[in-house]
Amino acid sequence: MKTISPQNTLWLSITALLTIGIILVSIFSLKNGYFGIFPYFYILPIILLAYFYPRYGVYFTVLLGWIFLGLVWLYGPADIQLYASSIAFFYIFVSLGVVISAFSSQLLQERKYREIFENSQAGMLTFDLDTQQIREINAQSAAILGYAPADLKKQMFSSIWLDDSQETRFMKKIRQDDAIADMEIALRKKDRTIIWVLVTAALTKEGMIICSIVDITEQKRIKDELIESELRYRTLFDGASDAIILHDIDGKIFETNVIASRYLGYTKKEFMHMSLRDIAVNPGTIFQSDIVRQFMARGHMLFESELKKKDGGTIPVEISSRITEYFGMSAVMSTVRDTSERKN
């Protein structure tokens, strides 16, 4: 159940007391022939309720207008001029309630958007499409860019770009599509250090660009390090002198290097649909249950086997297997060495 704030409770109580007082004043005025002033008293509670409770302002105004007409009918003289003016006041009350409720609803929406803008955990800023003058900025954006909010409002958005080509691409896309989703851009902080942000932007009908920015400098650094590590791993993996096969404990193959394809004639894609048992001359000798238990306990093993080539030939091999990890899963890395020359 929605609770009412103490401030709204206070104004609701004041409005209720005013309404009761105005009804009593209306009765007194009508009984004593004072018809010119008391209708104006109804404007104040209408303004208060419509402003603080726009959702119920119109209903309250209509109800209060009917109460007003009822009081005129019950306590006023049978005067056609009084009835006509009372009906006119009724419509004035309703119109006033509708206008103020609509205005208050708009203010409430703007206040909500302002709170979202100011309290967002993402950086939020707006700037003019033509001049690129920054208009509004929240505290998170200022913190990301290392400025005080007041200082950043004096800046041009173009002044914090690192790469002119990125800026040109950004502005071209926002003009063409009116929106940008998740574009990675490099910006300069106040101290001239470089940060990477993920930006989402939209162009309004008024020619303002609303941007949401999230600092991804650390994530990008980690991603770049992973890519670099992957490249080093791939270089070592494919540059090994022996065949390397990554697979699970049941023998299902995840990945192979170039030498494995050279040894056996299968492509990497073909290997990924096979298991070690598919290429073993004697599948029953590959990772038997009793051997697997010993392997899991020791973490490594060395054995000899014979594998089938794609062309139907066979090759004697020595397989050295050890427990490793593959994308967070337990896996086996088997290094396969051709022992044909040794056999001869």
Side-chain angles (χ1 to χ4, degrees):
M1 184 177 180
K2 188 177 180 180
T3 58
I4 302 176
S5 67
Q7 182 183 7
N8 284 357
T9 301
L10 174 63
W11 285 112
L12 186 61
S13 301
I14 291 173
T15 303
L17 291 174
L18 276 174
T19 302
I20 294 171
I22 289 169
I23 290 173
L24 295 176
V25 170
S26 298
I27 294 173
F28 174 81
S29 299
L30 287 166
K31 285 184 175 181
N32 292 277
Y34 303 121
F35 308 133
I37 298 177
F38 78 92
Y40 295 99
F41 294 157
Y42 286 79
I43 294 175
L44 185 55
I46 289 172
I47 292 174
L48 288 176
L49 196 81
Y51 181 79
F52 288 104
Y53 296 93
R55 185 183 298 180
Y56 307 108
V58 175
Y59 301 113
F60 173 77
T61 301
V62 172
L63 176 62
L64 195 60
W66 280 111
I67 291 173
F68 168 76
L69 291 177
L71 292 175
V72 171
W73 177 266
L74 290 174
Y75 297 103
D79 183 4
I80 188 66
Q81 186 176 354
L82 176 62
Y83 292 156
S85 64
S86 298
I87 292 173
F89 270 113
F90 173 82
Y91 284 109
I92 290 172
F93 295 158
V94 173
S95 299
L96 188 63
V98 169
V99 171
I100 294 175
S101 293
F103 176 72
S104 181
S105 295
Q106 185 176 357
L107 286 179
L108 184 62
Q109 287 296 109
E110 290 179 359
R111 195 178 303 124
K112 286 181 179 178
Y113 288 134
R114 171 58 59 180
E115 289 177 355
I116 293 172
F117 184 85
E118 293 294 342
N119 299 319
S120 173
Q121 293 304 303
M124 301 286 292
L125 61 87
T126 65
F127 66 93
D128 187 88
L129 175 64
D130 296 322
T131 66
Q132 292 204 25
Q133 178 71 45
I134 295 175
R135 301 298 183 186
E136 298 288 341
I137 182 164
N138 69 353
Q140 184 67 12
S141 277
I144 290 173
L145 297 169
Y147 287 84
D151 292 337
L152 199 53
K153 284 186 179 180
K154 301 173 185 177
Q155 299 287 328
M156 307 289 286
F157 190 61
S158 56
S159 68
I160 62 177
W161 283 88
L162 172 69
D163 187 349
D164 290 341
S165 62
Q166 277 191 343
E167 180 187 0
T168 301
R169 188 167 68 253
F170 177 91
M171 297 305 297
K172 182 178 180 181
K173 185 170 179 58
I174 198 70
R175 290 177 187 275
Q176 287 179 345
D177 303 337
D178 295 340
I180 292 175
D182 298 339
M183 176 184 286
E184 292 185 4
I185 62 174
L187 301 177
R188 283 195 183 275
K189 298 178 67 173
K190 185 178 182 180
D191 61 7
R192 309 308 291 169
T193 57
I194 300 168
I195 61 169
W196 281 89
V197 298
L198 188 68
V199 61
T200 300
L203 177 63
T204 69
K205 294 179 180 178
E206 293 76 24
M208 297 293 292
I209 299 175
I210 303 173
C211 291
S212 168
I213 61 174
V214 178
D215 188 352
I216 59 169
T217 306
E218 184 64 17
Q219 294 93 315
K220 189 169 180 61
R221 182 188 65 79
I222 294 172
K223 180 181 177 182
D224 289 344
E225 287 180 354
L226 287 173
I227 292 173
E228 185 179 348
S229 176
E230 171 67 18
L231 287 174
R232 286 199 302 268
Y233 158 77
R234 179 56 61 186
T235 300
L236 293 172
F237 188 73
D238 282 333
S241 58
D242 294 323
I244 299 176
I245 300 175
L246 278 169
H247 56 91
D248 64 15
I249 197 64
D250 294 321
K252 178 177 172 50
I253 297 173
F254 298 139
E255 194 169 354
T256 60
N257 69 351
V258 174
I259 300 300
S261 296
R262 191 178 301 166
Y263 273 5
L264 301 173
Y266 298 100
T267 65
K268 283 177 175 284
K269 190 172 182 180
E270 288 173 327
F271 270 124
M272 292 176 68
H273 292 89
M274 303 170 73
S275 76
L276 286 183
R277 291 183 174 86
D278 294 327
I279 59 177
V281 174
N282 298 307
T285 63
I286 297 293
F287 288 97
Q288 295 173 329
S289 57
D290 55 336
I291 296 176
V292 168
R293 283 194 294 270
Q294 296 177 24
F295 175 51
M296 295 298 290
R298 296 169 58 186
H300 64 88
M301 68 176 178
L302 179 68
F303 62 98
E304 292 186 348
S305 184
E306 193 172 6
L307 303 181
K308 294 183 292 186
K309 295 183 178 182
K310 186 176 181 180
D311 62 9
T314 62
I315 177 174
V317 294
E318 179 183 76
I319 300 177
S320 174
S321 299
R322 64 181 179 86
I323 300 294
T324 187
E325 200 172 89
Y326 181 76
F327 286 101
M329 302 182 300
S330 179
V332 179
M333 184 167 71
S334 293
T335 302
V336 181
R337 176 166 294 178
D338 183 358
T339 60
S340 299
E341 293 183 2
R342 190 188 307 173
K343 296 293 183 181
N344 294 332

